[in-house]
Amino acid sequence: MMTLLHNDFVLEIIRLVLYAVGLIAFAAFNAAYLSLLERKIPSWFQLRYGPKEVGWWGLLQPVADGIKLLTKQLLVQRGADVVLFKLAPAMVIIPAIMCLATIPFSETLVPRNINLGLLVIFSFSAIHVIGTMLGGWASYNKYASIAAARVVAQNIAYEIPLLLILVSLVMITHSFNLHTIVDQQAGGFWHWNVLRLSASPLMPVAFIIYFICMLAESNRAPFDMVEAESELIAGAFTEYSGMGFGLFFIAEYANIVVGCALGTILFLGGWHCPFGLLPGLHWFLIKMYFLCFTVIWVRWSFPRTQFYGLLNLSWKVLIPIALANLMITAIMLKLF
Amino acid sequence: MSIEAKSIHRETFVINLGPQHPATHGVLRIKLTMDGEYIDDAEPIIGYGHRMHEKMGENRTYAKFLPNTARMDYVAALFNSFGYVGAVERLAGITVPERAEYIRVITAELNRVASHLLWAGAFLIDLGGFTPLLYTFDDREQILDLLESVTGARLTFCYYRFGGVCNDIDDEFVAGTRQFITRLRSRMPMYHALITKNIIFRKRCEGIGPITADVCRRYGGTGPVLRGAGVAYDVRKAEPYSAYPQFDFNVPVYPESDCMARYLVRMDEIVESLRIIEQALDKLPAGPVMAEKVPRFLKPPKGECYFNVESARGSFGVRAISDGTDKAYRMKLRSPCFSNLSLFQECSRGMLLADALALLGSLDLVIPDIDR
Amino acid sequence: MWNYFKLIATGSWSLAVGMWIVLLHAFKRPVTVQYPYESVTLPARYRGHIELKREAAGGQPKCVACLACQRACPSGCIALDGVKPEGATRKVLTRYTLNFTTCSLCGLCVESCAFDALQFSKDYNLASVRKEDYQMDLLTPGEKHS
């Protein structure tokens, strides 16, 4: 038995299984407790108390929500495409959890440090679009079809500025490896990529563009046309009940977590302390949850954009600025 | 060889907005014929909340109809009572004492402020911003507390009577109202910074939902809808009633005719109403709050009378025809929301769904007022 | 061209101001009342259902069964009876029921009473699952709703 444990292959299997379970648990717990924070944080802004009956400070509220979703009947509309209808939630949540496999949470805590980690995350995060679109289209519901069409247009439009920002970042860091990108930001916060003005004076703007694109990719307000409550009820998810809806819900928060984690890695220095002291997992989590708080904060501050306003913002504002950033980065790289 | 242009076959589909829908402010059904995302035709279907108030007006004595008036447009309930008691008083020739007129104006303007605050919050919810609703409701709560201390009710007031009001106001109410006026005045810059100047709100409202003065004239649109189209018609100035001629206030008019103009008209009306309340509190005369010789069972002489007031939503009118008995022969209630809704069908043609919902929200509809 | 940049700048500034205002509210105390653990204080003129005023000495209701309130009610929710005992000057109330399901709290009954026998109560915790609880017997209120 003990010799088996010295076997590298077995250790690797054990490690992978632990990471797989850990990642799914991380995604699920984050989804559960981000949904509680989603209700508590606006309660602070809106001068009221959030959920506080179920458990102290509402900490058991996600458990209650989960039980509610699990005990509902899973209905499939007559005329809906059953296979696609049931496949869509899976197609939305699986890529989000897979993206977490390449994210380094600290120096040693990374499931798979792939050399092309950034590219892997970027390509996987585009798959959830198909899932939402199929879910809306296979529902045999007019409202859902409209939302499905909107989702595709919105996500395609916001992939492009995201790609341009990431390309300009890779030009600076010379590597797709996320671990390397964080290593280059060691030291205090003046080394962070967001303030690396020597590489490009538009770096803070690039960070803001990344943030906006991340909001749009995860269909969060003010870009939540997909589930625009006052217009289309629940948009693409109108026909889903019980855990089908629950999976879409979890996937939304998993996408937010991936986006915020990527944001901390790329721009905010990953697991390094802002003042150059002890790096560690706790700094990573603090920064990631700060970005999640900002995501929730933005949602509850503004009204929703119109659909063409959303697309105009991407094509007419974000892409030109991202292109300008790319050019400036290239020029500065060549000159200095 | 010429190619004959074939007529493009446009495939439209019919979608139902309501009667259960978060954005229709009540039970209103709109049958939308949509061409993709654009609206081809929007047909409002009303009647889900019809409770036959006008018939009840014929079957009840004048005094017994008073609770009904608050249940039509319940958000600005005092205006409905105002119109009704004004019409009956004119029919029966009852004069209202000065103090009662001032109290009516103060409570009605407080109700107008409360109604506009509720509308501002609900309009923002239609557009997707949930937080300002809570802030406006915080202010509205103070108004409702003030009105509750005087009338005993918070939403459906049965406070005006023929010949005056049923309870007098006390110093606590006056002090509370002055404090509220100061507080709301200091909060208006916050609302303008949070909502009016917000780029997303401006993009949603500027240039959206044009309702021109010509459309208003054809459909009978009144109130902020008309004043947002550039026409300076306010019943308080055009056909003055009650104590309004004694107050100095402006009527905000914006010529742009879009959703933003209607929003700005209502926000400015809040400020003007606060001015009116302040002047009324300063000049409040002493005296009785009820006319002396009002018969218990009112039998107005034969005749008819039309009395309209400037409600928060437009011109609310009551046409009372009396045949000499203690029950009215006809009690016609002119609802401002009914006329404002009727122009939705023409104005929303060719608009996107989100813009049409912004237009519907800016009309400030309360569906029970349409259905009565 | 200049307008384009100006719009981006003013727009971003307005969004930042909006977010700041919302954040400042997070540091204020909540204004909600945690009913049912806390309750709101009711004003003096609060309109609960009506109740009979009683004489200071003896606790008899002041009502003389003149039926003015029954006639004044728009919804017909008051039903009362009275008898005149031998040798008494005024009628004595034998039954006074209020059908609260149709009452609109208009106050016309309270105003129509010439003997100051009715007033609004401050009862507001009136949730019940049975309709019979709202057929209120105001003469013997001890057996009211549960």
Side-chain angles (χ1 to χ4, degrees):
Chain A
M1 182 65 186
M2 292 304 287
T3 50
L4 258 181
L5 276 177
H6 289 298
N7 188 344
D8 278 337
F9 183 65
V10 171
L11 276 176
E12 192 64 22
I13 298 282
I14 295 176
R15 181 179 163 273
L16 283 178
V17 166
L18 281 177
Y19 264 119
V21 169
L23 280 182
I24 297 180
F26 180 68
F29 267 110
N30 261 320
Y33 284 92
L34 270 183
S35 77
L36 173 65
L37 276 183
E38 174 96 52
R39 292 165 69 171
K40 271 302 208 185
I41 293 176
S43 76
W44 303 337
F45 298 140
Q46 292 165 1
L47 305 173
R48 55 186 176 89
Y49 301 96
K52 54 189 288 228
E53 290 295 310
V54 191
W56 183 71
W57 210 75
L59 282 173
L60 289 179
Q61 183 73 46
V63 176
D65 286 341
I67 294 176
K68 178 200 82 165
L69 286 173
L70 283 170
T71 53
K72 286 200 171 174
Q73 183 184 11
L74 295 175
L75 300 165
V76 180
Q77 170 97 306
R78 185 165 25 124
D81 193 326
V82 181
V83 173
L84 288 177
F85 188 79
K86 296 196 175 165
L87 195 59
M91 281 185 76
V92 177
I93 192 163
I94 292 176
I97 302 183
M98 280 165 77
C99 290
L100 285 172
T102 54
I103 290 185
F105 291 90
S106 81
E107 279 156 2
T108 50
L109 202 65
V110 46
R112 247 307 169 249
N113 194 12
I114 304 179
N115 255 338
L116 290 174
L118 196 56
L119 200 57
V120 162
I121 292 185
F122 194 58
S123 38
F124 276 137
S125 69
I127 300 180
H128 75 269
V129 181
I130 304 182
T132 319
M133 190 200 81
L134 284 179
W137 185 72
S139 295
Y140 200 65
N141 179 337
K142 289 170 205 164
Y143 293 117
S145 312
I146 301 179
R150 285 179 173 181
V151 138
V152 174
Q154 174 183 332
N155 274 286
I156 289 177
Y158 280 89
E159 293 275 343
I160 301 177
L162 194 60
L163 172 67
L164 290 172
I165 296 290
L166 293 180
V167 163
S168 55
L169 202 60
V170 166
M171 278 164 58
I172 302 171
T173 61
H174 301 292
S175 163
F176 277 103
N177 191 335
L178 292 172
H179 205 283
T180 324
I181 295 180
V182 178
D183 283 336
Q184 291 174 358
Q185 297 176 66
F189 63 89
W190 49 94
H191 289 289
W192 290 354
N193 275 340
V194 70
L195 291 175
R196 202 191 266 200
L197 299 172
S198 57
S200 155
L202 283 185
M203 267 321 230
V205 178
F207 177 54
I208 295 179
I209 296 180
Y210 170 80
F211 189 74
I212 297 176
C213 291
M214 190 251 299
L215 284 180
E217 284 293 315
S218 24
N219 300 324
R220 285 291 290 188
F223 307 118
D224 62 349
M225 307 306 311
V226 173
E227 40 169 74
E229 282 140 15
S230 4
E231 297 163 36
L232 301 177
I233 321 298
F237 318 138
T238 318
E239 290 295 327
Y240 282 90
S241 62
M243 216 50 199
F245 176 73
L247 275 181
F248 276 117
F249 200 62
I250 295 178
E252 178 182 326
Y253 289 111
N255 275 325
I256 294 175
V257 165
V258 168
C260 293
L262 199 61
T264 39
I265 290 175
L266 293 176
F267 289 98
L268 293 183
W271 60 80
H272 291 287
C273 168
F275 306 107
L277 300 173
L278 308 150
L281 171 67
H282 45 281
W283 288 114
F284 181 88
L285 290 177
I286 289 176
K287 292 177 205 170
M288 188 183 89
Y289 284 115
F290 172 71
L291 279 186
C292 291
F293 169 77
T294 313
V295 168
I296 297 178
W297 181 16
V298 167
R299 176 196 178 161
W300 293 97
S301 303
F302 310 130
R304 199 177 295 123
T305 57
Q306 293 145 322
F307 190 51
Y308 52 88
L310 196 153
L311 296 178
N312 277 346
L313 179 68
S314 163
W315 292 99
K316 291 188 190 171
V317 177
L318 293 184
I319 291 185
I321 299 183
L323 274 174
N325 183 39
L326 187 63
M327 281 199 307
I328 294 179
T329 315
I331 292 173
M332 304 227 18
L333 214 56
K334 205 62 184 164
L335 291 179
F336 301 110
Chain B
M1 195 166 91
S2 67
I3 303 173
E4 280 165 312
K6 294 199 186 108
S7 63
I8 304 170
H9 170 62
R10 272 189 1 205
E11 211 173 277
T12 58
F13 61 95
V14 175
I15 233 183
N16 241 347
L17 203 70
Q20 296 148 333
H21 193 99
T24 54
H25 298 291
V27 272
L28 171 69
R29 176 175 162 216
I30 304 186
K31 206 161 124 187
L32 293 169
T33 312
M34 311 232 353
D35 173 21
E37 285 258 0
Y38 290 92
I39 293 181
D40 218 16
D41 183 41
E43 185 193 334
I45 298 171
I46 56 175
Y48 288 86
H50 183 54
R51 293 151 293 160
M52 296 167 279
H53 280 292
E54 294 186 0
K55 183 68 181 163
M56 283 197 262
E58 293 170 21
N59 285 343
R60 296 199 150 117
T61 62
Y62 290 92
K64 290 192 183 179
F65 189 68
L66 278 167
N68 288 38
T69 58
R71 269 106 179 131
M72 291 186 301
D73 175 3
Y74 45 76
V75 183
L78 282 175
F79 292 106
N80 299 9
S81 293
F82 208 154
Y84 177 66
V85 298
V88 174
E89 277 159 7
R90 241 186 227 175
L91 263 184
I94 302 174
T95 10
V96 180
E98 191 76 10
R99 187 177 169 92
E101 293 278 26
Y102 274 68
I103 294 178
R104 280 186 184 175
V105 166
I106 293 173
T107 45
E109 292 300 319
L110 276 176
N111 209 351
R112 187 195 306 277
V113 175
S115 167
H116 284 327
L117 284 173
L118 186 148
W119 171 81
F123 185 50
L124 261 294
I125 285 205
D126 280 351
L127 300 179
F130 301 95
T131 312
L133 175 82
L134 280 302
Y135 300 157
T136 58
F137 263 58
D138 188 13
D139 290 323
R140 187 169 170 263
E141 202 60 22
Q142 286 203 313
I143 300 181
L144 293 186
D145 284 342
L146 285 170
L147 288 173
E148 192 186 13
S149 69
V150 173
T151 69
R154 287 166 71 89
L155 195 71
T156 49
F157 308 101
C158 194
Y159 180 53
Y160 298 162
R161 301 277 184 269
F162 306 123
V165 296
C166 68
N167 292 330
D168 200 353
I169 62 177
D170 52 3
D171 292 328
E172 211 180 298
F173 174 81
V174 172
T177 312
R178 284 196 202 274
Q179 192 193 24
F180 165 73
I181 293 176
T182 325
R183 181 172 184 249
L184 186 56
R185 278 210 179 119
S186 68
R187 274 168 76 94
M188 289 309 282
M190 185 269 285
Y191 285 125
H192 283 295
L194 180 62
I195 308 174
T196 320
K197 298 193 184 138
N198 192 320
I199 181 80
I200 299 179
F201 178 77
R202 276 173 46 200
K203 289 268 179 193
R204 281 304 289 264
C205 291
E206 275 171 6
I208 305 295
I211 298 180
T212 56
D214 179 57
V215 169
C216 287
R217 186 184 54 80
R218 279 188 283 126
Y219 286 94
T222 51
V225 171
L226 184 62
R227 290 195 282 282
V231 178
Y233 179 76
D234 185 327
V235 179
R236 295 173 290 178
K237 295 275 200 197
E239 302 162 36
Y241 56 95
S242 183
Y244 283 106
Q246 300 172 33
F247 303 125
D248 169 41
F249 61 99
N250 300 324
V251 170
V253 175
Y254 285 84
E256 294 97 20
S257 327
D258 53 10
C259 288
M260 189 57 132
R262 294 188 279 279
Y263 166 83
L264 287 172
V265 163
R266 290 190 181 102
M267 295 306 266
D268 286 352
E269 271 186 14
I270 294 180
V271 176
E272 293 299 325
S273 289
L274 292 178
R275 273 181 66 190
I276 298 178
I277 300 173
E278 210 175 31
Q279 290 172 48
L281 286 175
D282 288 337
K283 296 190 207 170
L284 189 64
V289 290
M290 194 69 185
E292 266 143 23
K293 299 251 183 39
V294 179
R296 178 64 70 88
F297 299 105
L298 202 60
K299 281 203 178 102
K302 254 196 192 163
E304 65 175 85
C305 158
Y306 182 77
F307 187 82
N308 62 345
V309 299
E310 180 69 27
S311 155
R313 283 162 184 79
S315 155
F316 175 81
V318 174
R319 179 173 181 234
I321 305 180
S322 154
D323 55 358
T325 60
D326 60 351
K327 299 193 168 77
Y329 174 73
R330 173 82 170 107
M331 186 66 65
K332 157 78 183 154
L333 305 157
R334 189 254 177 208
S335 140
C337 296
F338 185 85
S339 316
N340 288 352
L341 175 64
S342 54
L343 51 81
F344 181 68
Q345 188 161 10
E346 183 177 317
C347 287
S348 62
R349 225 156 253 158
M351 286 173 83
L352 286 165
L353 181 59
D355 295 342
L357 283 172
L359 167 63
L360 193 65
S362 73
L363 290 177
D364 196 2
L365 301 174
V366 172
I367 311 302
D369 191 31
I370 299 179
D371 290 339
R372 273 158 287 159
Chain C
M1 190 64 191
W2 170 243
N3 277 339
Y4 171 80
F5 286 111
K6 196 164 134 201
L7 188 63
I8 295 179
T10 48
S12 319
W13 179 246
S14 72
L15 293 181
V17 166
M19 282 175 72
W20 177 247
I21 292 177
V22 170
L23 186 67
L24 281 184
H25 274 90
F27 299 108
K28 298 194 181 163
R29 315 190 69 220
V31 297
T32 50
V33 170
Q34 295 293 294
Y35 184 81
Y37 305 120
E38 308 165 358
S39 324
V40 199
T41 44
L42 296 173
R45 288 192 188 149
Y46 177 78
R47 291 187 184 185
H49 64 84
I50 54 169
E51 60 184 7
L52 292 167
K53 275 187 176 173
R54 311 243 160 195
E55 304 273 2
Q60 292 304 310
K62 292 183 182 175
C63 173
V64 298
C66 68
L67 300 178
C69 54
Q70 185 172 307
R71 282 195 296 266
C73 176
S75 320
C77 28
I78 299 180
L80 63 107
D81 285 324
V83 291
K84 192 156 177 191
E86 292 292 325
T89 45
R90 38 166 273 193
K91 274 187 173 174
V92 166
L93 195 60
T94 52
R95 178 178 76 100
Y96 198 110
T97 42
L98 169 73
N99 178 5
F100 196 47
T101 57
T102 53
C103 174
S104 59
L105 294 172
C106 61
L108 292 173
C109 53
V110 175
E111 280 163 36
S112 69
C113 182
F115 298 91
D116 190 33
L118 284 176
Q119 65 181 7
F120 289 111
S121 66
K122 300 273 180 301
D123 236 351
Y124 69 96
N125 272 324
L126 290 180
S128 165
V129 295
R130 303 181 315 160
K131 201 167 171 188
E132 299 83 51
D133 287 340
Y134 295 100
Q135 310 296 332
M136 297 177 174
D137 177 6
L138 296 181
L139 192 53
T140 45
E143 297 122 45
K144 255 198 307 197
H145 51 276
S146 50

